[in-house]
Amino acid sequence: MPAKTVSSMPIVTERKLELEFPSDWEVIQYDRQGNSKTGEPASFYRRIIERGGVQQVRGMDIVCRLPDVPAKLQFIEVKDDRKRTIGTGDRHAELFISVLQKTVGTLAGLVLAERLGEASLLPQACLSKSPPIEVVLFLVEPAPLPVATTENGLSRLVKKERVAALDQRLTAKLDEWGILFALYNLSNRPPRNWQVRDLV
């Protein structure tokens, strides 16, 4: 399902974040659920890949085709953890696995979409042309606790180191696959060609 367009700028809302892209980008919410109120169908990934007994296949939130020639794709995963309850595991290790699974799942889905001639993904389903691909993780974490104690300061430092390690690990692994990686958040803004608004 294509992104909503306002003033010819594709806009996608993911959780409490609104992402706005240049008007010449082809943008799709790759993992969009169907909406019975508006009658909008589920995305190709939800209708064809995920249903019918296929298990453990995951997809990125957004897939963009940039206007570059030759074609260039950008896969975007949005993780807004501000309301997430704290679990017992290492969230950054979980994100590492999740981003890799979603990258592989999205690549497989786009191959199938191209093979089937899926109309809703015609611009993005171009992997036979070997387009450059960039994976973007837009990660918003809970606000850090005030550095009132040594323990809070140490906790903040550990979290910063874990984010840096996640960035390095994903950069290295995706580089093995010939894919670029970038990690952004609300203070480390994404490239100038797309904008993020916080709806909280």
Side-chain angles (χ1 to χ4, degrees):
M1 184 60 45
K4 151 178 95 168
T5 303
V6 175
S7 303
S8 75
M9 306 287 276
I11 295 175
V12 174
T13 302
E14 284 287 338
R15 296 154 190 90
K16 294 291 183 183
L17 299 169
E18 187 175 81
L19 290 77
E20 182 177 309
F21 300 91
S23 58
D24 55 355
W25 283 35
E26 298 280 352
V27 179
I28 192 160
Q29 283 184 278
Y30 183 74
D31 70 345
R32 185 184 182 105
Q33 298 279 4
N35 187 328
S36 58
K37 291 180 183 176
T38 64
E40 289 180 295
S43 67
F44 172 81
Y45 165 71
R46 295 285 184 193
R47 288 183 290 109
I48 306 298
I49 306 293
E50 192 179 59
R51 289 195 183 161
V54 177
Q55 296 180 3
Q56 299 179 0
V57 175
R58 304 178 73 189
M60 287 286 179
D61 291 326
I62 304 164
V63 176
C64 306
R65 179 169 172 165
L66 284 62
D68 304 44
V69 177
K72 180 178 179 182
L73 297 177
Q74 192 173 83
F75 299 171
I76 303 169
E77 182 63 21
V78 178
K79 293 293 184 191
D80 187 348
D81 283 356
R82 289 175 290 186
K83 301 251 181 203
R84 186 174 184 272
T85 51
I86 303 300
T88 54
D90 180 350
R91 175 61 171 160
H92 298 96
E94 179 186 315
L95 285 171
F96 175 75
I97 293 167
S98 176
V99 168
L100 294 180
Q101 286 177 332
K102 290 183 175 213
T103 299
V104 170
T106 302
L107 288 169
L110 291 177
V111 167
L112 185 56
E114 186 173 15
R115 185 177 175 86
L116 296 175
E118 171 62 30
S120 68
L121 281 169
L122 281 179
Q124 295 85 0
C126 59
L127 294 185
S128 64
K129 298 174 185 171
S130 301
I133 298 170
E134 179 183 31
V135 169
V136 174
L137 172 60
F138 197 91
L139 175 62
V140 184
E141 297 191 288
L145 296 170
V147 186
T149 66
T150 304
E151 185 178 332
N152 287 352
L154 182 59
S155 174
R156 185 181 287 195
L157 180 61
V158 167
K159 183 187 281 188
K160 190 174 181 180
E161 288 174 352
R162 285 183 175 167
V163 171
L166 172 64
D167 191 353
Q168 290 170 357
R169 290 179 70 202
L170 282 170
T171 297
K173 186 61 184 175
L174 289 169
D175 183 63
E176 289 178 12
W177 299 352
I179 296 174
L180 295 173
F181 174 73
L183 191 152
Y184 297 109
N185 57 47
L186 286 170
S187 57
N188 170 22
R189 295 288 179 174
R192 59 183 173 80
N193 41 6
W194 51 278
Q195 301 296 319
V196 179
R197 281 185 287 280
D198 189 0
L199 302 178
V200 171

